[in-house]
C-alpha cells in the first residue's frame, strides 16, 4: 500500500523544503549545515561509489571537497518523484547537477540521479540514505547486450 495518496501536502512540502535547504548549504560551501540535513547514522553513497557512514564523516568529506575541487561550486536539483512508504518514511528520486565555479552552466554529462530516503524524527524530516549515480548514455557494449537480452517478437502474431 502506498501512503502517498493519504499523506498531507504539508509533509511533501516539508521534504521539498529540506531538499532546498540541502542545496543552499552546498551552494554556501557549508559542510556542517549540509550534513545536518542528514541523520546521525546516514548512509551516503557518492557518484564514484564511495560510501560515507554517519553525519560527522559526511561533514568531513564534504568540507574537504568544498575546500578543494568543489570550492565555489553550486548544486541544482529537481524532484522527479516522492512517495511515502510509511507516514514517517519517504522515498525520493531527484536529478541534480554540480556546476563548478568556472563554468557558466553545468555540463550535460555531469547530471546524476539520486535515490534518497527521508525519515521524520521528532517532527523534522532528515535524509537517512542517499545514493548518487551519474546518468550516462549506454555505450556500444551496453547497447549490444540490451539487444541480445531483449526477446524477439514473433512475426506470426
Amino acid at each position: 500500500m502506498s501512503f502517498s495518496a493519504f499523506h498531507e501536502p504539508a509533509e511533501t512540502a516539508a521534504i521539498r523544503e529540506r531538499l532546498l535547504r540541502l542545496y543552499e548549504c552546498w551552494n554556501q560551501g557549508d559542510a556542517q549545515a549540509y550534513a545536518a540535513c542528514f541523520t546521525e547514522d546516514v548512509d551516503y553513497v557518492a557518484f564514484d561509489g564511495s560510501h560515507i557512514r554517519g553525519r560527522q564523516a559526511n561533514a568531513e568529506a564534504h568540507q574537504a571537497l568544498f575546500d578543494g575541487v568543489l570550492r565555489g561550486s553550486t548544486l541544482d536539483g529537481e524532484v522527479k518523484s516522492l512517495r511515502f512508504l510509511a507516514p514517517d518514511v519517504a522515498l525520493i528520486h531527484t536529478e541534480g547537477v554540480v556546476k563548478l565555479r568556472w563554468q557558466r552552466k553545468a555540463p550535460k554529462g555531469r547530471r546524476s540521479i539520486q535515490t534518497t530516503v527521508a525519515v521524520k524524527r521528532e517532527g523534522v524530516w532528515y535524509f537517512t540514505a542517499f545514493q548518487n549515480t551519474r546518468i550516462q548514455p549506454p555505450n556500444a557494449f551496453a547497447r549490444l547486450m540490451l539487444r541480445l537480452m531483449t526477446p524477439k517478437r514473433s512475426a506470426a502474431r
Side-chain angles (χ1 to χ4, degrees):
M1 174 181 173
S2 172
F3 289 88
S4 293
F6 307 105
H7 222 277
E8 291 186 35
E11 297 300 334
T12 299
I15 293 171
R16 287 177 181 271
E17 285 295 319
R18 183 57 119 181
L19 282 166
L20 287 176
R21 174 71 180 138
L22 187 76
Y23 300 152
E24 289 170 2
C25 295
W26 181 292
N27 296 344
Q28 294 166 0
D30 188 340
Q32 289 295 327
Y34 179 82
C37 294
F38 296 89
T39 60
E40 286 289 340
D41 61 348
V42 63
D43 277 290
Y44 189 106
V45 180
F47 80 95
D48 64 354
S50 58
H51 188 176
I52 302 166
R53 291 185 175 101
R55 183 185 286 163
Q56 188 56 39
N58 186 330
E60 291 168 5
H62 280 89
Q63 193 60 60
L65 292 169
F66 294 155
D67 289 344
V69 68
L70 295 180
R71 183 171 40 94
S73 67
T74 56
L75 174 62
D76 185 35
E78 65 178 307
V79 174
K80 293 298 190 176
S81 67
L82 189 159
R83 68 183 171 104
F84 291 90
L85 306 176
D88 58 353
V89 180
L91 176 65
I92 309 145
H93 287 102
T94 54
E95 279 190 24
V97 64
V98 171
K99 183 180 75 162
L100 301 175
R101 67 184 175 276
W102 61 83
Q103 295 173 322
R104 291 181 187 210
K105 63 181 186 175
K108 291 179 184 175
R110 291 189 60 98
R111 289 201 62 80
S112 296
I113 186 166
Q114 299 81 35
T115 302
T116 307
V117 177
V119 293
K120 190 173 185 182
R121 296 193 176 157
E122 298 180 10
V124 178
W125 286 98
Y126 294 95
F127 306 120
T128 194
F130 176 88
Q131 165 74 49
N132 186 26
T133 304
R134 185 68 45 88
I135 299 171
Q136 299 179 2
N139 60 30
F141 178 74
R143 286 191 302 272
L144 173 64
M145 291 305 294
L146 284 171
R147 196 167 61 240
L148 292 173
M149 294 170 52
T150 303
K152 298 193 187 298
R153 293 184 181 241
S154 172
R157 289 185 186 189

